[in-house]
Amino acid sequence: MSGGKSAGTKLVSVDFEISGHVQGVCFRMYTEKKGLQLGLVGWVRNTYQGTVEGQIQGPANMVEDMKVWLSKEGSPTSRITKASFSNQRTIDTLELSGFKTRF
């Protein structure tokens, strides 16, 4: 098996944008840490609109766990008012490596 996935594990990719008090509260750092903890790959960055956006890829169940975390938890001092997810799709192999903060 390539990519360290077991037979029958569906990989997905999804883009996200998180609104609220999410900049200046270590949201990107905690997102990166949580993504790695769940075994996901992806990226995260601040936007000029005051939101945080990114992309996550990995096993579907872990991506769903991350979506819940992004929607409800975030960093300890963040206040999430809206979480948007788009372009969710099934992928054959991971298109990214690692979990990185982009600038």
Side-chain angles (χ1 to χ4, degrees):
M1 314 283 148
S2 63
K5 63 178 183 166
S6 60
T9 302
K10 184 171 100 171
L11 296 175
V12 297
S13 175
V14 66
D15 300 337
F16 65 87
E17 184 171 21
I18 312 301
S19 304
H21 183 61
V22 293
Q23 290 191 6
V25 293
C26 300
F27 197 92
R28 291 173 300 163
M29 180 185 76
Y30 277 89
T31 299
E32 194 174 320
K33 182 178 174 182
K34 185 65 174 180
L36 290 170
Q37 179 187 353
L38 291 172
L40 302 173
V41 298
W43 58 269
V44 59
R45 69 178 170 204
N46 285 341
T47 70
Y48 290 115
Q49 294 76 34
T51 64
V52 171
E53 68 178 3
Q55 184 179 78
I56 48 178
Q57 295 181 352
N61 60 330
M62 294 294 110
V63 169
E64 288 305 313
D65 288 352
M66 185 68 172
K67 287 168 67 175
V68 170
W69 184 89
L70 286 166
S71 301
K72 308 265 188 242
E73 193 169 335
S75 65
T77 54
S78 65
R79 286 191 318 277
I80 300 162
T81 57
K82 182 180 177 188
S84 301
F85 300 96
S86 59
N87 302 321
Q88 184 158 334
R89 59 194 171 86
T90 301
I91 55 177
D92 292 327
T93 59
L94 297 174
E95 301 164 340
L96 305 167
S97 63
F99 209 109
K100 299 179 177 56
T101 296
R102 292 186 178 175
F103 296 95

